[in-house]
Amino acid sequence: MFENAHTLYLWVVLAPLLGSLVAGLAGRTVGRGGAHWFTILGVGTSCLLSLIAFNHIVLNDAPIFNETIYTWLATEGFEFKIGFLVDRITVMMMVVVTFVSLMVHVYTIGYMHDDPGYQRFFSYISLFTFSMLMLVMANNFLQLFFGWEAVGLVSYLLIGFWYKRDSAIYANLKAFLVNRVGDFGFILGIAAVLLYFNSLDYATVFKAAPALKDATMSIIPGTEWSVMTVIAILLFIGAMGKSAQVPLHVWLPDSMEGPTPISALIHAATMVTAGIFMVARMSPLFELSETALAFVMFIGATTALFMGFLGLVQNDIKRVIAYSTLSQLGYMTAALGASAYAAGMFHLMTHAFFKALLFLGAGSVIIAMHHEQDMRKMGGLRKYMPITWLTSLIGSLALIGAPGFAGFFSKDSIIEAVGHSGLDSWVQPYAYICVLAGVFVTALYSFRMYFMVFHGKERMDEHTRSHLHETPWVVTGPLIALAIPSVVIGAMYVDSMVFGDFFRNAIFVLPEHNVLGELARDFHGWTAMISHAISQLPLWLAAAGVATAWFLYMKRPDLPGVIQQKLALLYRVLINKYWMDELYANGFAAAGRAIGRALWQIGDVVIIDGLLVNGSARVVGWTSGIVRRVQTGYLYHYAFVMIVGLVSLVAVYVIWPNK
């Protein structure tokens, strides 16, 4: 099979693309059934081939694949190439992306059953999978940028899928514009790589990077900046947009305007994970700048805690999970800043399974509730929807890091790594406090949602209650399939991925930054990790969060309203999301519009239209009016003009004889 690995990897990316083209271009011909079968077959094929690649690269310890597929553009002294780099970090991402996407495809059959855009939706999500695979399998910055922009484009199409809704159009425009800010930094970073390394090939750049560790550049005259710091921070600005880190996070909660299946795909396996993967892939560059690492850790820790706070006051079930995604992405980013890239990628993997599970579980609830998303109108769904209830409980336990569940192993590894990071900066203690406090906050908003939806008093209307029942197998089947890895995948891979050499030759860490290597000395297996956690603060913070949620929303449901009144100012800050949306809409966007209007009124109306176009026309009219008066038809008038002209010429000759 792997004698022709080139062909196999091509089919990994081409199979979803072909399914997308069939559903999109021949949707009317193949019908609804044909659209979902072609795309599911394409993504299923890609998933199977990814598992084969995983077995070959990881289990059989085969050499990595790094080859050019074709040359896209050749110029004098430089070539732009398309190629694949398939190593251990790549195959892990390939399996996660294709498996979660496959579950979303199957789930979509039930969720989008009555939607008129059925074929179009399947085409988009299959194209999304292709775009993400091109990104993670790239062996150069050019192809990385192609995949980077492709996932951004498809997310724009999917967030605004219900384009007749004004809120959906606003949300996808918001996502597009905010990501343009991040992408501006990203492309500047790639340009800097090309400038200083004269190559866009990963292997070439990574090999040459140590030689530029002490190199500087002058951005502002009189100041010197570290080349590696500038490149790393510019690349990370791109990750801040894609992975929705503060302050470029504002688009992600609004992405809930898209159908629930795409919310699961964006939040779990594509788009937002692209930034985390990119930073881990670029570890040979980030390791050469402690300033960049400190910046990454600060942004990640801030996002982890302060976005979690916003989840506490949301009443839309999907938005609670959306803010949960923001917070968990912050944990991953903080791990990257601590040089614990393996822990960040491990949490990316475990999070993909339980976050997709939570989103699809929320979608199951929304279907049963006739597309009602307000948790205040739910309650007591456990007895009506036992499979959705159980799988959602598993997802919630994995999210809060309950011992034994997948999220426990990855999140606790991150907290330990941040706590023991050797980063010599005030950022390290700040980040540790944030990720610790985030454990309590995560447990509180997660089980607030769980109790409000599945337990307590039934708050829906009688018509909705009378029609409540479990959703069909195309919805519950993917829930069960995602629940299994949400339980077992952490224990299976924590040893090799976090404390072992799973990512060898894919992630680079300097010896002085190797915090996971230090922690590995005290690691004695996943069972010992659970036993050790009993005496550690994170477990008790999670337990306190669950207990607080139970007390407030089960035992004393009257108290949240009282607390809201007592802490009205704090509640206002949180419900208004720190006024970040207003800052962008009424600050930056309004300023941009004002500048545009000024340029239009002064530059276009006054200068271009008024002075250049209309002004020149008026000058010509005025001049021709004067000249027209000379053309009288009288001979003595013409003789007079000739005399004036002759006198003028003589005067010029007398004044400037040498001219």
Side-chain angles (χ1 to χ4, degrees):
M1 173 70 74
F2 272 83
E3 293 178 356
N4 196 5
H6 179 285
T7 302
L8 182 141
Y9 295 131
L10 268 177
W11 277 109
V12 169
V13 297
L14 291 180
L17 177 61
L18 290 175
S20 173
L21 292 174
V22 171
L25 301 179
R28 292 186 178 182
T29 304
V30 300
R32 296 164 71 89
H36 69 238
W37 279 117
F38 273 107
T39 52
I40 288 173
L41 179 63
V43 174
T45 300
S46 185
C47 183
L48 177 61
L49 296 177
S50 297
L51 289 169
I52 293 172
F54 186 90
N55 176 73
H56 180 68
I57 298 290
V58 176
L59 303 183
N60 295 336
D61 199 23
I64 66 173
F65 178 91
N66 185 10
E67 291 186 14
T68 297
I69 303 302
Y70 69 94
T71 299
W72 177 64
L73 179 66
T75 62
E76 185 177 348
F78 194 80
E79 292 182 338
F80 295 94
K81 298 179 179 180
I82 301 298
F84 294 146
L85 170 60
V86 182
D87 55 12
R88 288 168 170 258
I89 194 173
T90 303
V91 291
M92 187 209 80
M93 288 297 296
M94 288 163 60
V95 171
V96 169
V97 170
T98 55
F99 178 75
V100 172
S101 179
L102 180 60
M103 294 301 101
V104 170
H105 274 70
V106 175
Y107 178 93
T108 299
I109 297 174
Y111 192 90
M112 302 291 287
H113 182 266
D114 299 320
D115 197 283
Y118 190 83
Q119 292 99 313
R120 179 165 56 93
F121 189 81
F122 272 99
S123 177
Y124 286 171
I125 59 175
S126 197
L127 184 61
F128 211 172
T129 308
F130 159 75
S131 302
M132 189 65 184
L133 287 171
M134 286 293 286
L135 188 156
V136 301
M137 294 174 67
N139 72 347
N140 62 83
F141 286 90
L142 173 67
Q143 186 175 328
L144 173 70
F145 187 72
F146 165 78
W148 194 267
E149 293 303 311
V151 295
L153 169 64
V154 184
S155 67
Y156 169 82
L157 296 173
L158 284 163
I159 293 169
F161 181 79
W162 287 320
Y163 55 85
K164 294 184 179 179
R165 298 181 181 179
D166 290 340
S167 57
I169 297 302
Y170 180 81
N172 74 348
L173 181 61
K174 187 176 183 180
F176 184 83
L177 293 177
V178 171
N179 273 276
R180 296 290 67 73
V181 176
D183 291 354
F184 181 67
F186 189 60
I187 198 169
L188 285 178
I190 294 175
V193 168
L194 182 59
L195 175 65
Y196 283 92
F197 294 94
N198 196 36
S199 175
L200 293 178
D201 178 71
Y202 289 165
T204 303
V205 172
F206 296 162
K207 184 178 180 180
L212 289 177
K213 181 179 180 180
D214 298 322
T216 60
M217 65 168 68
S218 179
I219 299 176
I220 302 172
T223 61
E224 294 295 321
W225 300 67
S226 165
V227 168
M228 297 314 304
T229 296
V230 171
I231 290 175
I233 290 179
L234 286 173
L235 292 174
F236 180 66
I237 289 172
M240 289 169 62
K242 278 290 180 290
S243 293
Q245 297 296 289
V246 172
L248 301 182
H249 66 281
V250 293
W251 68 270
L252 191 59
D254 286 1
S255 71
M256 298 300 97
E257 290 295 332
T260 298
I262 196 51
S263 300
L265 198 54
I266 287 177
H267 288 244
T270 61
M271 187 68 171
V272 297
T273 60
I276 307 300
F277 166 80
M278 185 274 292
V279 175
R281 172 62 83 194
M282 300 300 146
S283 58
L285 305 182
F286 280 83
E287 282 297 287
L288 300 177
S289 172
E290 289 209 355
T291 302
L293 290 174
F295 180 68
V296 171
M297 183 185 284
F298 173 78
I299 293 295
T302 302
T303 304
L305 180 60
F306 289 91
M307 294 301 102
F309 284 144
L310 299 185
L312 295 172
V313 298
Q314 300 298 313
N315 294 310
D316 184 310
I317 186 172
K318 287 174 63 178
R319 285 186 177 267
V320 174
I321 306 174
Y323 281 107
S324 164
T325 300
L326 283 170
S327 180
Q328 297 309 302
L329 288 168
Y331 274 92
M332 298 175 210
T333 303
L336 300 175
S339 293
Y341 305 97
M345 290 303 298
F346 185 51
H347 194 50
L348 182 155
M349 181 188 70
T350 61
H351 176 265
F353 295 119
F354 63 71
K355 185 51 58 71
L357 173 60
L358 285 170
F359 263 115
L360 298 187
S364 180
V365 169
I366 292 168
I367 293 171
M369 292 291 297
H370 300 289
H371 293 276
E372 177 59 66
Q373 296 181 197
D374 192 335
M375 297 187 299
R376 293 170 296 185
K377 298 179 181 179
M378 299 178 187
L381 294 183
R382 173 186 175 183
K383 64 181 179 182
Y384 300 104
M385 309 178 71
I387 298 176
T388 301
W389 160 72
L390 181 58
T391 53
S392 296
L393 176 60
I394 290 171
S396 298
L397 290 170
L399 173 60
I400 70 169
F405 290 81
F408 162 76
F409 298 101
S410 56
K411 184 184 285 188
D412 270 36
S413 298
I414 289 175
I415 295 171
E416 287 293 311
V418 172
H420 290 83
S421 170
L423 197 64
D424 186 18
S425 168
W426 62 268
V427 172
Q428 188 271 333
Y430 165 80
Y432 186 58
I433 292 172
C434 285
V435 296
L436 264 182
V439 174
F440 174 81
V441 175
T442 301
L444 180 54
Y445 68 65
S446 298
F447 274 81
R448 170 183 177 262
M449 177 181 69
Y450 171 75
F451 289 131
M452 288 182 71
V453 173
F454 293 104
H455 293 273
K457 181 181 177 182
E458 298 176 5
R459 298 179 295 276
M460 69 286 294
D461 58 63
E462 188 57 40
H463 174 74
T464 302
R465 181 189 290 109
S466 64
H467 290 84
L468 280 174
H469 59 81
E470 188 59 272
T471 45
W473 72 267
V474 290
V475 174
T476 56
L479 295 182
I480 296 170
L482 288 165
I484 295 170
S486 297
V487 176
V488 304
I489 201 74
M492 289 173 61
Y493 282 102
V494 63
D495 189 353
S496 61
M497 282 195 179
V498 179
F499 303 109
D501 61 349
F502 182 94
F503 294 114
R504 64 179 178 274
N505 302 321
I507 289 175
F508 172 77
V509 181
L510 290 174
E512 58 267 31
H513 294 163
N514 192 13
V515 62
L516 293 180
E518 296 293 324
L519 294 175
R521 298 175 183 176
D522 298 321
F523 179 76
H524 304 291
W526 65 270
T527 53
M529 189 173 177
I530 294 175
S531 301
H532 177 70
I534 295 175
S535 61
Q536 299 301 303
L537 187 57
L539 176 60
W540 293 104
L541 287 172
V546 174
T548 303
W550 174 83
F551 182 76
L552 291 177
Y553 296 96
M554 294 293 293
K555 186 71 174 178
R556 291 289 306 277
D558 58 304
L559 279 183
V562 176
I563 295 173
Q564 177 181 327
Q565 292 178 349
K566 296 290 185 181
L567 302 175
L569 178 60
L570 178 59
Y571 177 78
R572 188 182 175 195
V573 170
L574 296 180
I575 203 66
N576 285 287
K577 299 167 284 189
Y578 310 119
W579 287 283
M580 291 294 290
D581 285 334
E582 287 75 10
L583 173 63
Y584 282 111
N586 302 326
F588 298 122
R593 291 193 299 270
I595 293 171
R597 281 194 298 269
L599 291 174
W600 165 59
Q601 292 173 349
I602 298 174
D604 196 28
V605 175
V606 176
I607 297 177
I608 296 175
D609 288 343
L611 184 59
L612 298 180
V613 179
N614 297 329
S616 59
R618 282 193 291 268
V619 169
V620 171
W622 176 77
T623 305
S624 62
I626 295 174
V627 173
R628 185 169 60 248
R629 294 178 182 177
V630 176
Q631 303 296 322
T632 62
Y634 294 109
L635 182 61
Y636 60 85
H637 283 171
Y638 297 149
F640 175 74
V641 170
M642 292 172 65
I643 293 171
V644 170
L646 181 61
V647 171
S648 299
L649 287 173
V650 171
V652 169
Y653 179 77
V654 172
I655 296 172
W656 294 292
N658 296 325
K659 299 296 182 179

